[in-house]
Amino acid sequence: MNRSMEPAHYLSKHLVVVTTFSRCKREYYRVARVRGKKQKRGQDCLSCSDRLSHEPSPLLQIRWLRLVVDEGHELGKNEVDSGLAHFIGEIAAERRWVISGSPTTGDEDDQNFNADGLDQLQRLLQFLRHPTYGLKAVDQARENWDLAVKRPFLDRRERGRDGLLRILNEVMVMHRKE
């Protein structure tokens, strides 16, 4: 199904709106195209800024009670689709949830597996707007993460392991099949 997204006034009448990651991706590319055309025409307006929240996406025009991202590891996976992750991060929501069976991905035999996994977790914390590792500017949040968690963990210091476990306990609910 490739129809356009319903307008914001229609979506706002519903208690639950379910959309797919691929729908968000299409919406992001549509918004990016509109912004690109405005910039080519030389319009210097708020809707042309890097802040996507002024673009005409219905997803960005509503303040949602809860934003739940299934297959959330896609948000933290890599920085290649950082524009899409930024778009989803700009959706206004009072509560943010990430659902994933595998919050980190990658090849376990890769020598950078632990470092890459920690980077993925930090990007998820950015989306969740963690008070220390997600609410500040992206570079500051990443620097805080690197100093307090990533480097100590990779150096096999106890404070790195303890810090990581503390953060995971704050933000994670784990369910196991019995």
Side-chain angles (χ1 to χ4, degrees), residues 22-39:
S22 61
R23 172 58 71 97
C24 288
K25 196 174 210 173
R26 279 198 310 271
E27 192 66 10
Y28 162 68
Y29 286 120
R30 185 186 67 76
V31 166
R33 247 189 341 270
V34 168
R35 186 176 65 192
K37 287 177 185 177
K38 288 179 180 180
Q39 286 173 334

Side-chain angles (χ1 to χ4, degrees), residues 107-116 154:
D107 180 2
E108 292 179 25
D109 295 327
D110 184 345
Q111 67 181 5
N112 294 321
F113 178 73
N114 286 337
D116 292 345
L154 294 175

